[in-house]
Amino acid sequence: MADHLDAPTPLEEHRKLAVFAGEWSGEEVVYPSRWTAGGPASSHVSARIALNGFYLIQDSVQTREGKESFAAHGVFTYDREERTYKLFWHDSLGYYPPSPASGGWVNRSLILVRGSLRGNARHVYEVVDDNTYNMKIQFSPDAEGWADVLTGVYRRIH
């Protein structure tokens, strides 16, 4: 067929997300906020490359004092038209973001920012090595002064 279009294939930018694929155990610090009291937490993160290599799908469950305290579902991809990474984030707080977080890599950190009427959130995923990454979620009313909401160190479960 002369008019047949080949399906797109993942780019190197999509493949770069595979660094976060796998099963992870996290040690976290939750900072006091309007949603919760601060304190230590642990979390289990399960992430996989899916849908022909275009997406990283991540599910995490946080535990505090022996009980599930927070859960999140993240879908990461690279938007080849906008030339930026996207994060579609859903969590157990129940807020639905009006748009995905957007951003890119700065050295070994994937930095994604999204805004809403409640303020701005920034997710920073720093690759330490093949078996460790650091993550922080920050909040800012004006996207300039950032305050930590959650920080964590995640180690690959073998």
Side-chain angles (χ1 to χ4, degrees):
M1 298 178 87
D3 63 345
H4 172 58
L5 296 176
D6 289 330
T9 58
L11 302 172
E12 179 58 31
E13 288 86 352
H14 293 104
R15 290 188 286 277
K16 198 168 182 181
L17 291 169
V19 69
F20 300 113
E23 298 290 321
W24 304 85
S25 176
E27 298 171 21
E28 298 175 335
V29 175
V30 178
Y31 292 82
S33 70
R34 60 184 175 193
W35 301 286
T36 187
S42 61
S43 104
H44 179 85
V45 179
S46 179
R48 69 188 193 289
I49 297 296
L51 303 169
N52 292 333
F54 289 104
Y55 299 91
L56 172 77
I57 299 175
Q58 179 189 73
D59 290 296
S60 61
V61 176
Q62 179 188 83
T63 304
R64 295 178 71 186
E65 299 177 359
K67 297 178 186 168
E68 181 178 317
S69 53
F70 183 77
H73 177 77
V75 179
F76 299 74
T77 192
Y78 179 75
D79 184 327
R80 67 178 78 225
E81 292 176 12
E82 291 187 18
R83 296 183 180 182
T84 187
Y85 284 87
K86 301 288 184 176
L87 168 58
F88 298 84
W89 181 265
H90 308 276
D91 62 39
S92 58
L93 293 178
Y95 296 115
Y96 188 82
S99 61
S102 297
W105 288 92
V106 176
N107 300 317
R108 296 179 57 88
S109 295
L110 178 59
I111 303 171
L112 302 150
V113 178
R114 73 174 183 277
S116 75
L117 295 176
R118 291 178 309 283
N120 301 279
R122 178 166 68 180
H123 296 237
V124 180
Y125 298 84
E126 177 196 19
V127 177
V128 176
D129 58 39
D130 290 344
N131 295 304
T132 311
Y133 72 91
N134 299 325
M135 189 268 293
K136 61 184 168 185
I137 298 175
Q138 300 174 306
F139 177 80
S140 171
D142 58 8
E144 291 185 20
W146 295 97
D148 289 341
V149 174
L150 175 100
T151 60
V153 177
Y154 303 84
R155 293 180 178 81
R156 188 177 301 277
I157 299 170
H158 292 283

